[in-house]
Amino acid sequence: MEHFIVSARKYRPQNFEDVVGQQAITNTLENAIKNNHLAQALLFTGPRGVGKTSCARILAKKINQQDATHAEDEDFAFNIFELDAASNNSVDDIRSLTDQVRIPPQTGKYKVYIIDEVHMLSQAAFNAFLKTLEEPPAHAIFILATTEKHKIIPTILSRCQIFDFKRIGVLDAKNYLKVICEKENITAEDDAIHVIAQKADGAMRDALSIFDRVVSFSGNNLTREAVTENLNVLDYDTYFNMTDLLLDNKIPEVLNGFNIILGKGFEGHHFINGLASHFRDILVAKDKATIDLLEVGDNAKKKYLAQATKASIPFLLQAIEKANNCDLNYRTSKNQRLLVELTLMQIASITFDGEKKKSANYIIPATFFQALSPAIKKENTVVKQRETVTKSQKTPEITKPKLEKPILKSVKRRTSSLSLKSIYQKKEVKKTDVEENFDNHPKDVFSEEKLQTLWKEYATILQKKGERSMASIVATDIPKLEGKFNILFTVPNKLMKDQFHKGRPKLVKYLREQLNNYGIDIIVNLNETVEKKFAYTPQEKFNKMKEKNPLLEKLRQTFELDL
């Protein structure tokens, strides 16, 4: 079995031209070597896997190749000394190093000392290194490399020429991976390579490690689906589908989609961050001047351009703000899932009924999504059947009742009691759905027993909804059927009658739908002589009990009890 060499080692840059994404630094170093203008102490700092150690090795080889007596392919291994400061961080290690520095090289012009992770040196080791670093021999060059420059003492920094390595861009990493795919005879989709470059987060070494892992999983044919499955990342399609649902105000589907994402093992924080970035990319795609800021593949760019035509700028700005607030509050939230769900519901409500002013945290009422209930679907079917019958009988066409109006009425906010509009509303009699013309609707026959059963069920429904006042009024009497369509209901006082009239339209609607009879009407009678069924105060309760057992009064007087 042939020994496998990982791509990070196999394709380590051998020349400055091979270094990815650090052109400014490599050009500076090449010009310094060419013009003999190279400092004797250099500090390479930057994130992991961006080419610091590779540049140090290339520099160490290049400065000795200036001598014409040496071949181009000579690596000058005897002139390059690499020290890992993480494991050699004591004063004794630095003193041993300074003793070696005095000895000139046996071949070549320079001895190069590469100290990796130099920030790991102890305070005493730094101090022991100061004098040598400030006045090194002419044949010695020190290259210090670190990922945490802030941990190095200022006296060391002031003696070095500092080169800040930047994170490697997604497109640079992507292009380099394409070159490797060609060399390895691997066919890869553009989006697949782009996902790998994004996952690397600016580190070329990480990109190559991920590339090896994905090739082991998929073989010589890399697809976007295989890459996202292996890396367990949320691909573009997830965010595109979620954004479509948010734009269409489909809150139930949005919550179900988020539940599926959580079921795959993703954190809500990761998802909401990705969604905010997706909104940012859509916003960037809105303008041709900024479209180059999209660091995505060609196929994904087409999808962004298509979705940018659907989403308005006000929606995107509000959505980004809400997603960002969710991101900021996520760690401190005690119910993190609920926080993300509320954010998604608020985003889905941004474009709902856009002509009216809404609060910043407005959420579409649940009644809007209950509008397409089985009862209304049944009503739609009945209307269509009636229209078909009337057309066949060559009678004037009946206009289909607009079902949208009741739906929208149910989601309107109440008029403020302090507004002028509320004064006029008190004077006017509300025209509800009960007063609409239902002449062409079904009027099935029903029994009084069926009516009374449904009446009790409605009282139970009100009780569960928390409308206890209306539930108690409905339960005060048993309705009676007069004729085919009139329902007689008696209440004991005017206050209850007024209260019943407020909830009457919903009750009538419920009975009409359940009995499939749209000719039903409720006639409310007032009978103040009806015996009071409920005792409210302690005195009333005692009097009620005393009527059943007169000895209770004697008991109260004997023990001098208070009510």
Side-chain angles (χ1 to χ4, degrees):
M1 181 177 177
E2 186 179 353
H3 179 64
F4 174 72
I5 302 175
V6 296
S7 297
R9 287 180 56 198
K10 186 176 181 180
Y11 295 100
R12 179 185 284 273
Q14 301 300 318
N15 298 292
F16 284 127
E17 293 81 6
D18 300 333
V19 179
V20 179
Q22 311 293 346
Q23 191 172 3
I25 292 175
T26 55
N27 288 345
T28 303
L29 294 174
E30 279 187 313
N31 291 333
I33 295 171
K34 189 184 299 181
N35 300 325
N36 197 23
H37 201 266
L38 191 67
Q40 285 191 286
L42 308 173
L43 175 64
F44 291 172
T45 178
R48 70 185 191 282
V50 295
K52 298 185 297 295
T53 306
S54 296
C55 283
R57 292 178 178 178
I58 295 169
L59 178 65
K61 185 172 67 172
K62 286 282 186 183
I63 58 177
N64 282 310
Q65 283 180 349
Q66 283 184 306
D67 193 347
T69 60
H70 296 286
E72 288 289 328
D73 58 349
E74 191 171 348
D75 59 1
F76 298 96
F78 293 105
N79 292 40
I80 301 171
F81 302 89
E82 288 196 41
L83 179 70
D84 180 19
S87 55
N88 300 281
N89 55 4
S90 65
V91 178
D92 294 336
D93 294 321
I94 295 301
R95 284 175 180 169
S96 175
L97 176 67
T98 54
D99 290 340
Q100 295 177 18
V101 169
R102 300 173 186 172
I103 305 170
Q106 296 180 359
T107 179
K109 188 177 181 180
Y110 295 101
K111 290 176 73 175
V112 182
Y113 293 87
I114 301 173
I115 305 178
D116 205 3
E117 304 297 335
V118 69
H119 66 274
M120 299 291 286
L121 290 178
S122 63
Q123 184 74 23
F126 272 129
N127 292 330
F129 193 38
L130 281 175
K131 189 63 177 176
T132 304
L133 194 64
E134 185 175 13
E135 297 177 359
H139 60 265
I141 290 180
F142 293 97
I143 303 177
L144 314 181
T146 181
T147 56
E148 302 182 51
K149 184 176 69 171
H150 61 279
K151 291 186 178 181
I152 301 175
I153 60 176
T155 47
I156 292 288
L157 294 175
S158 63
R159 289 166 168 79
C160 298
Q161 192 175 84
I162 301 173
F163 291 86
D164 287 305
F165 284 69
K166 63 181 181 180
R167 292 174 59 191
I168 297 173
V170 174
L171 293 179
D172 289 334
K174 179 179 170 182
N175 292 333
Y176 191 65
L177 289 174
K178 284 183 178 179
V179 173
I180 295 176
C181 285
E182 291 177 1
K183 292 181 179 179
E184 296 289 335
N185 295 322
I186 295 173
T187 57
E189 293 181 1
D190 185 74
D191 286 345
I193 298 177
H194 186 86
V195 171
I196 295 173
Q198 269 190 324
K199 184 72 173 177
D201 196 24
M204 196 67 234
R205 182 170 60 236
D206 289 359
L208 293 171
S209 298
I210 295 170
F211 175 77
D212 287 342
R213 170 180 154 191
V214 173
V215 169
S216 299
F217 174 75
S218 303
N220 293 336
N221 185 20
L222 300 185
T223 61
R224 180 177 60 85
E225 291 79 8
V227 171
T228 53
E229 180 184 354
N230 182 257
L231 300 182
N232 197 29
V233 297
L234 288 169
D235 61 357
Y236 301 128
D237 288 340
T238 301
Y239 292 114
F240 280 119
N241 294 335
M242 182 62 72
T243 304
D244 286 336
L245 294 175
L246 293 171
L247 288 169
D248 293 337
N249 314 123
K250 296 181 178 179
I251 290 181
E253 289 83 352
V254 167
L255 296 179
N256 286 331
F258 178 58
N259 184 61
I260 292 172
I261 291 169
L262 293 178
K264 292 180 179 179
F266 296 102
E267 285 190 4
H269 198 196
H270 174 69
F271 167 73
I272 204 69
N273 279 336
L275 188 63
S277 299
H278 182 75
F279 289 145
R280 173 261 180 194
D281 291 339
I282 297 175
L283 191 61
V284 165
K286 298 278 291 183
D287 193 342
K288 292 181 179 179
T290 58
I291 200 169
D292 291 335
L293 297 176
L294 277 177
E295 293 184 339
V296 296
D298 295 334
N299 294 332
K301 186 176 289 187
K302 292 177 182 178
K303 292 184 179 180
Y304 274 110
L305 292 172
Q307 198 164 70
T309 60
K310 300 179 184 178
S312 64
I313 292 178
F315 166 80
L316 293 172
L317 293 176
Q318 290 185 59
I320 290 172
E321 182 182 3
K322 292 182 184 298
N324 185 52
N325 290 337
C326 179
D327 177 29
L328 294 174
N329 298 326
Y330 190 86
R331 293 299 179 194
T332 58
S333 175
K334 291 184 179 179
N335 193 336
Q336 296 172 335
R337 174 170 181 164
L338 178 61
L339 176 66
V340 177
E341 289 176 336
L342 285 174
T343 302
L344 292 173
M345 288 190 285
Q346 290 171 10
I347 294 173
S349 304
I350 292 174
T351 58
F352 178 74
D353 199 10
E355 296 179 359
K356 298 183 179 180
K357 293 182 180 179
K358 303 187 291 288
S359 63
N361 297 325
Y362 175 77
I363 295 176
I364 302 172
T367 51
F368 176 78
F369 303 103
Q370 294 171 357
L372 296 178
S373 62
I376 291 186
K377 288 181 181 178
K378 182 179 179 181
E379 187 172 344
N380 286 336
T381 306
V382 171
V383 170
K384 289 179 181 179
Q385 290 174 352
R386 290 291 179 184
E387 288 180 350
T388 305
V389 172
T390 53
K391 286 180 182 179
S392 64
Q393 295 174 353
K394 298 183 179 180
T395 55
E397 185 177 356
I398 298 172
T399 305
K400 181 179 178 180
K402 294 182 179 179
L403 297 178
E404 290 81 0
K405 287 185 178 180
I407 295 169
L408 293 178
K409 282 182 180 179
S410 65
V411 297
K412 284 184 178 178
R413 281 182 268 171
R414 293 179 179 176
T415 306
S416 173
S417 60
L418 302 177
S419 65
L420 292 173
K421 188 176 180 181
S422 65
I423 298 174
Y424 293 108
Q425 282 185 343
K426 290 177 182 178
K427 295 181 180 179
E428 296 176 358
V429 178
K430 288 187 178 181
K431 292 184 179 181
T432 61
D433 297 342
V434 181
E435 300 174 0
E436 292 184 10
N437 185 9
F438 291 103
D439 292 341
N440 298 305
H441 283 58
K443 297 181 178 64
D444 294 352
V445 178
F446 59 92
S447 64
E448 191 174 68
E449 290 76 12
K450 178 67 173 178
L451 167 66
Q452 292 173 357
T453 302
L454 291 173
W455 192 277
K456 292 178 182 178
E457 288 179 0
Y458 187 74
T460 306
I461 292 171
L462 291 174
Q463 192 74 22
K464 290 180 180 179
K465 288 183 177 179
E467 300 179 17
R468 297 179 181 177
S469 177
M470 185 63 186
S472 63
I473 294 172
V474 171
T476 55
D477 191 31
I478 299 174
K480 297 179 180 179
L481 186 61
E482 185 179 81
K484 292 184 178 180
F485 306 131
N486 293 333
I487 300 172
L488 295 180
F489 182 67
T490 304
V491 292
N493 56 59
K494 190 174 183 301
L495 179 63
M496 295 178 73
K497 182 178 179 181
D498 295 339
Q499 187 70 21
F500 180 80
H501 272 295
K502 292 181 181 179
R504 177 174 170 271
K506 293 182 179 179
L507 173 56
V508 173
K509 183 180 178 182
Y510 174 80
L511 293 174
R512 286 177 174 177
E513 291 174 353
Q514 296 298 321
L515 296 172
N516 198 27
N517 188 319
Y518 287 82
I520 291 173
D521 194 11
I522 299 178
I523 300 172
V524 184
N525 293 328
L526 179 62
N527 186 4
E528 295 184 355
T529 62
V530 175
E531 182 183 4
K532 186 185 291 185
K533 295 185 178 181
F534 301 100
Y536 297 101
T537 65
Q539 182 66 51
E540 289 175 338
K541 292 178 181 178
F542 179 75
N543 292 338
K544 194 76 175 176
M545 294 170 65
K546 187 171 65 173
E547 290 175 5
K548 296 181 179 180
N549 189 353
L551 293 176
L552 288 175
E553 177 63 25
K554 186 177 181 180
L555 177 67
R556 188 186 69 79
Q557 293 175 358
T558 302
F559 290 98
E560 298 180 353
L561 300 174
D562 294 329
L563 296 178

